[in-house]
Amino acid sequence: KMTEHVVICGGGIIGAASLYYLTLRGVRTTLIERSEIACHASGKAGGFLARDWGSGPTSVLHKKSFQLHKELASTLNIESYRTISTLQVNCQRRGNNSGSWLSERVSSSLMDDEEATAQVTPKELTEKLVEAAKEKGAKVIIGKAVKEPVFETTGETKKIVGVKLSDSTVIDCTKLLITMGAWSTVAGDWFGVNIPMEGIKSTSIIFKDIKEMTADPYALFCSEDNNGCHLEVYPRPNGEVYLCGLGGSDYVSGARLREGGDCETPEQIIPNPARVVAACKSLKVITNACSHKTPEISQACMRPCPPDAKPIMGPVPGIEGAKTRMERFLWSGSYEGDWSGT
């Protein structure tokens, strides 16, 4: 296996899991990331895990990945992993609540208990997968981008033999794995094929030290409210409270993700201040626990979005040694990422 050399483009959860499991199997592997590990959706997602929320072709993937998250938490000492009960919150109706910190202005009901839902902080998981792989001999290159693959053509056969980096360095390889999230659409230009991937730019916020919420934790899925939010609320074991579902997401076409576009690089993806204000208003309706708090972190990420909302995995047509491995949007990238990386 060491005669093979797999180069992985992209340091999110899919790339990290692929690096980890290939290295465990004795395959020489190099991961290349132009920004930093878990720099986008894999570092800024909520990390909610739901065993039975898959449907159709992703149902088995959900179940296997749910179990694998538990195993990885033990193997890699993932401190942010835990099971957690999940509530559905009606923001337009008063009623009974399970959570002690929920306001009397809303009502809630149990969606799933701790047997079926859990959480993990995706950034910790992604970084620990990479570190574990490096300890076992994997190589990681940060701060350089893959500009184009290097091909060897024999007759009608086009084969991957390397990649050229942004500093003109060429790295030889036998296989190339594309795990660039929403930016994977750019890789289609390298191969002359259409990778039907777009992006959803979404804002999220993180509060710290809301003791009432972290002492009695529930994951919340809230109905749409008068502020245009449909909040998802995740109290984390370290005392943080993560919120997404702020509304106002920007659907980003492939052209905007390419060179010269306003979303060409991860560093260009910034939060929408208006949605931060709206989310803070919405949270104060749901709970009194944060009435005097402001978010410590406001951020945005680019979530990958295939047209059918299903994972894109498999060989690139007409190119020997090139494969794609990309996840769909919502929380499934961090959720299904560890299993699809195997």
Side-chain angles (χ1 to χ4, degrees), residues 177-224:
L177 183 60
I178 306 300
T179 62
M180 294 159 50
W183 287 277
S184 296
T185 186
V186 177
D189 301 342
W190 301 342
F191 306 121
V193 300
N194 177 40
I195 296 179
M197 180 70 75
E198 295 189 347
I200 303 177
K201 182 169 64 172
S202 300
T203 299
S204 58
I205 55 178
I206 297 175
F207 291 83
K208 294 186 178 180
D209 298 324
I210 303 180
K211 294 181 173 57
E212 296 92 335
M213 298 174 73
T214 54
D216 183 25
Y218 288 90
L220 306 184
F221 281 75
C222 304
S223 64
E224 188 161 0

Side-chain angles (χ1 to χ4, degrees), residues 66-84:
F66 189 83
Q67 178 60 32
L68 189 55
H69 269 288
K70 182 178 180 180
E71 295 169 8
L72 283 172
S74 176
T75 302
L76 301 179
N77 189 29
I78 305 296
E79 296 177 1
S80 60
Y81 173 86
R82 69 177 173 190
T83 59
I84 188 169

Side-chain angles (χ1 to χ4, degrees), residues 140-161:
V140 177
I141 299 173
I142 304 295
K144 297 180 182 180
V146 173
K147 298 301 291 184
E148 59 185 5
V150 179
F151 299 105
E152 180 182 274
T153 303
T154 305
E156 297 182 358
T157 302
K158 207 172 187 179
K159 181 181 179 181
I160 292 286
V161 295

Side-chain angles (χ1 to χ4, degrees), residues 29-226:
T29 311
T30 300
L31 184 146
I32 302 170
E33 167 55 52
R34 63 176 170 174
S35 183
E36 61 185 39
I37 298 301
C39 67
H40 246 269
S42 298
K44 299 176 182 178
F48 177 72
L49 313 172
R51 183 190 62 197
D52 301 322
W53 290 22
S55 61
T58 67
S59 180
V60 173
L61 190 59
H62 267 65
K63 293 180 186 299
K64 289 184 177 294
S65 198
F66 189 83
Q67 178 60 32
L68 189 55
H69 269 288
K70 182 178 180 180
E71 295 169 8
L72 283 172
S74 176
T75 302
L76 301 179
N77 189 29
I78 305 296
E79 296 177 1
S80 60
Y81 173 86
R82 69 177 173 190
T83 59
I84 188 169
S85 294
T86 303
L87 303 179
Q88 183 174 10
V89 177
N90 188 330
C91 299
Q92 308 293 340
R93 181 179 179 180
R94 294 172 176 264
N96 296 324
N97 288 303
S98 299
S100 59
W101 43 269
L102 284 169
S103 166
E104 71 280 356
R105 295 185 293 272
V106 301
S107 60
S108 63
S109 58
L110 184 68
M111 295 181 74
D112 263 314
D113 62 19
E114 295 182 1
E115 292 295 318
T117 52
Q119 66 180 151
V120 68
T121 301
K123 184 175 178 64
E124 182 195 7
L125 172 60
T126 305
E127 290 176 342
K128 286 190 173 178
L129 283 166
V130 171
E131 288 305 312
K134 287 169 63 178
E135 289 174 3
K136 296 181 181 300
K139 184 176 181 180
V140 177
I141 299 173
I142 304 295
K144 297 180 182 180
V146 173
K147 298 301 291 184
E148 59 185 5
V150 179
F151 299 105
E152 180 182 274
T153 303
T154 305
E156 297 182 358
T157 302
K158 207 172 187 179
K159 181 181 179 181
I160 292 286
V161 295
V163 292
K164 185 176 182 180
L165 304 186
S166 50
D167 63 356
S168 298
T169 301
V170 174
I171 298 178
D172 296 335
C173 64
T174 57
K175 291 183 174 62
L176 177 61
L177 183 60
I178 306 300
T179 62
M180 294 159 50
W183 287 277
S184 296
T185 186
V186 177
D189 301 342
W190 301 342
F191 306 121
V193 300
N194 177 40
I195 296 179
M197 180 70 75
E198 295 189 347
I200 303 177
K201 182 169 64 172
S202 300
T203 299
S204 58
I205 55 178
I206 297 175
F207 291 83
K208 294 186 178 180
D209 298 324
I210 303 180
K211 294 181 173 57
E212 296 92 335
M213 298 174 73
T214 54
D216 183 25
Y218 288 90
L220 306 184
F221 281 75
C222 304
S223 64
E224 188 161 0
D225 60 27
N226 295 330

Side-chain angles (χ1 to χ4, degrees), residues 44-46 82 84 101-102 119 121 204-220 231-244 246 279-280 283 286-287 289-290 293-299:
K44 299 176 182 178
R82 69 177 173 190
I84 188 169
W101 43 269
L102 284 169
Q119 66 180 151
T121 301
S204 58
I205 55 178
I206 297 175
F207 291 83
K208 294 186 178 180
D209 298 324
I210 303 180
K211 294 181 173 57
E212 296 92 335
M213 298 174 73
T214 54
D216 183 25
Y218 288 90
L220 306 184
L231 293 183
E232 297 175 26
V233 181
Y234 306 123
R236 289 173 166 171
N238 67 350
E240 295 180 345
V241 177
Y242 174 98
L243 273 72
C244 61
L246 278 58
C280 290
L283 185 60
I286 295 169
T287 179
C290 60
K293 293 280 188 176
T294 57
E296 296 275 346
I297 298 173
S298 298
Q299 59 188 10

Side-chain angles (χ1 to χ4, degrees), residues 276-304:
V276 173
V277 172
C280 290
K281 290 180 180 178
S282 296
L283 185 60
K284 289 176 182 178
V285 173
I286 295 169
T287 179
N288 297 318
C290 60
S291 57
H292 302 294
K293 293 280 188 176
T294 57
E296 296 275 346
I297 298 173
S298 298
Q299 59 188 10
C301 70
M302 185 68 68
R303 295 179 288 158

Side-chain angles (χ1 to χ4, degrees), residues 12-18 40-50 58 61-62 65 69 120 122-123 125-126 129 179 181-182 197 301-306 309-313 325-341:
I13 182 66
I14 308 295
S18 299
H40 246 269
S42 298
K44 299 176 182 178
F48 177 72
L49 313 172
T58 67
L61 190 59
H62 267 65
S65 198
H69 269 288
V120 68
K123 184 175 178 64
L125 172 60
T126 305
L129 283 166
T179 62
M197 180 70 75
C301 70
M302 185 68 68
R303 295 179 288 158
C305 182
K310 295 176 183 176
I312 299 176
M313 295 187 284
R325 188 166 287 170
M326 295 156 272
E327 288 297 343
R328 54 188 179 159
F329 69 111
L330 297 176
W331 28 262
S332 56
S334 58
Y335 179 55
E336 299 168 351
D338 52 0
W339 182 261
S340 60

